[in-house]
Amino acid sequence: MGTAEFSAFSKTGIYEELYKSSPGGTTAEDRRETSACEDKTAVLEALCHDLQERVTRLEEGEDKRRVWAESVDTQLQELKDSQRQYAGTSLNAATNHYAGPSHYNNNPYPHYQGGDWHHQGAFPGYVVQKELQEKEEENKKLKERVKDLEARNEELLSKVMSMHKHSEDMNDPSRLSAVLQMYEKFRLHEWEKFRTTSSLTYKKGSIIIKRLFDACEEDIQQRKLNLFEVLGIPPCNETMTNSNQGIMQEIRNILRYSYYQNQSEFYHKIVMQASIDPKTTIQKEFTMQCCRIYCLLLLQDSPLKAVWNLQELKYLEHVDKKGYEYWRKPTLLWPIIKCGEQVVVKGVVWDEK
């Protein structure tokens, strides 16, 4: 949509709203209130349906995890049984070797050389014991990982629900809950792939993330000013415009739709404004995806914004999951994400040497 077309469209919509709300338009007002009630009812029904689906998915995931855990426990028990069987067999074999006179010719203890037992030859059960320990450690790590992911999902869901006074449009792929899930996945997986393939230190990585976030905020602010100019709204009246939820919601929806579409020119421009020159394909994908996700957070109906504050320790976690008492010169890698004064996503720190 061109600038002239958008201006005509937006102003026409505004004039129609003003005409409908003018004196003598009580019939239109009644229809509007009735339609609003119907819309709210439909939205609430959609929310209930979505919550039911989420509960069902969580229950299915729990069933799968339980089946998987039982399978692992069965394998561990089989390994323990095998270990005991091998241990008994190995002991009999060692006794027979020791009792046989033919083994005294050169070395009376053929499995004892240089002050150490050759466990794999003398005791095959040693191999099973080692494999058993590895399986138990892997099982423990996987269970901790599942527990951590479930806790994160519950926390994220509860925060999203508490933030919204109205339900989300589940047909909107750029809705808040969907973008927060994208952000969480991006921080856990895409960042690690970007860091390892680019051989980045935490310090250099934090500088890149901070520059990208700042460039996103500047880009959106400039686009808002351009829209205010088209609508004839003075920039100094931006605070007053926030009280008119209809206009601001329309502006955010238009911008969010544009930023959600995979328009590489948007994000290429932001990356260039951040003074970052990605070389590889992975670097380009990371920087552009970072800009896309943060712009969508900024353009929610209740905007979410990055806060680079090390003083709020209870809203920070260490990249190595260490307690506060073990931190040494902590530095922010990922910022705290807030909606107004409410913390939505904790920040991440690392120890700068």
Side-chain angles (χ1 to χ4, degrees):
M1 182 182 292
T3 301
E5 294 176 349
F6 172 76
S7 176
F9 169 77
S10 300
K11 290 182 177 180
T12 300
I14 294 170
Y15 293 151
E16 288 178 355
E17 290 296 323
L18 291 174
Y19 174 77
K20 291 178 181 178
S21 61
S22 61
T26 56
T27 302
E29 182 67 24
D30 292 340
R31 287 197 301 271
R32 207 159 47 244
E33 290 179 357
T34 302
S35 177
C37 291
E38 292 175 350
D39 290 344
K40 289 181 179 179
T41 301
V43 167
L44 288 174
E45 291 176 351
L47 175 60
C48 292
H49 178 70
D50 175 63
L51 288 176
Q52 183 61 40
E53 288 184 347
R54 293 190 183 188
V55 170
T56 302
R57 287 197 298 270
L58 287 174
E59 290 176 348
E60 291 175 351
E62 180 63 21
D63 291 340
K64 291 180 180 179
R65 187 193 67 78
R66 189 181 300 108
V67 171
W68 171 83
E70 291 175 354
S71 174
V72 172
D73 291 338
T74 301
Q75 293 179 25
L76 289 175
Q77 185 60 44
E78 291 176 354
L79 285 173
K80 289 179 181 178
D81 295 340
S82 299
Q83 190 270 340
R84 285 194 294 267
Q85 181 181 354
Y86 277 119
T89 304
S90 301
L91 182 59
N92 293 333
T95 303
N96 293 334
H97 282 302
Y98 178 79
S102 61
H103 294 282
Y104 284 95
N105 295 332
N106 297 319
N107 185 358
Y109 305 101
H111 298 294
Y112 182 77
Q113 299 177 0
D116 189 18
W117 283 92
H118 286 194
H119 295 289
Q120 294 184 13
F123 296 101
Y126 172 78
V127 178
V128 179
Q129 179 66 25
K130 184 177 180 181
E131 183 179 356
L132 177 63
Q133 292 175 351
E134 291 176 352
K135 284 285 186 180
E136 288 178 341
E137 291 176 0
E138 181 182 359
N139 184 29
K140 183 179 179 181
K141 289 180 181 179
L142 287 174
K143 286 183 177 180
E144 290 176 352
R145 180 62 175 166
V146 169
K147 185 177 180 181
D148 182 56
L149 290 175
E150 288 177 347
R152 282 179 176 271
N153 184 57
E154 289 295 328
E155 181 182 5
L156 191 63
L157 180 60
S158 63
K159 284 183 177 180
V160 170
M161 296 305 298
S162 64
M163 284 172 52
H164 278 273
K165 297 180 181 179
H166 58 276
S167 59
E168 293 182 319
D169 179 5
M170 302 309 297
N171 294 321
D172 180 9
S174 63
R175 63 187 185 277
L176 178 58
S177 60
V179 179
L180 283 174
Q181 289 178 359
M182 285 192 286
Y183 181 68
E184 186 71 10
K185 181 180 178 181
F186 178 75
R187 286 200 318 167
L188 291 175
H189 302 291
E190 301 304 321
W191 153 250
E192 190 62 26
K193 182 171 68 173
F194 172 64
R195 184 179 71 87
T196 53
T197 56
S198 304
S199 300
L200 285 178
T201 62
Y202 284 130
K203 183 174 183 179
K204 189 171 182 180
S206 66
I207 292 173
I208 291 175
I209 295 170
K210 179 74 163 57
R211 286 181 179 177
L212 290 172
F213 277 33
D214 290 345
C216 289
E217 294 177 6
E218 294 174 3
D219 185 76
I220 287 180
Q221 182 62 22
Q222 185 58 51
R223 291 184 186 276
K224 281 184 178 180
L225 292 176
N226 293 341
L227 285 174
F228 292 153
E229 183 178 356
V230 170
L231 295 173
I233 302 174
C236 60
N237 289 338
E238 181 179 350
T239 302
M240 181 189 68
T241 307
N242 284 331
S243 63
N244 191 330
Q245 296 300 321
I247 295 178
M248 288 307 300
Q249 186 174 358
E250 183 181 359
I251 290 175
R252 290 195 189 100
N253 288 342
I254 292 172
L255 287 175
R256 191 165 68 242
Y257 177 81
S258 298
Y259 279 88
Y260 180 79
Q261 302 303 313
N262 192 17
Q263 300 185 23
S264 58
E265 64 273 13
F266 271 25
Y267 308 116
H268 178 72
K269 177 183 176 182
I270 296 175
V271 172
M272 295 298 292
Q273 289 175 343
S275 301
I276 297 174
D277 185 19
K279 303 295 184 182
T280 66
T281 300
I282 293 179
Q283 291 174 354
K284 291 177 182 178
E285 290 177 352
F286 176 86
T287 53
M288 296 181 73
Q289 190 175 358
C290 181
C291 294
R292 181 170 181 259
I293 293 174
Y294 186 51
C295 285
L296 293 176
L297 289 175
L298 290 169
L299 290 170
Q300 296 299 315
D301 287 342
S302 297
L304 276 68
K305 191 172 181 181
V307 178
W308 302 83
N309 184 6
L310 274 170
Q311 305 306 316
E312 302 184 67
L313 291 179
K314 63 180 179 179
Y315 300 129
L316 298 173
E317 57 185 6
H318 198 279
V319 70
D320 295 325
K321 304 298 181 183
K322 297 193 298 186
Y324 303 134
E325 63 274 16
Y326 301 109
W327 294 8
R328 297 179 302 171
K329 196 179 179 181
T331 305
L332 275 169
L333 173 63
W334 293 95
I336 300 170
I337 301 296
K338 284 188 172 184
C339 178
E341 294 301 319
Q342 182 178 6
V343 174
V344 181
V345 182
K346 289 184 177 181
V348 179
V349 301
W350 94 95
D351 292 325
E352 186 175 4
K353 297 180 180 179

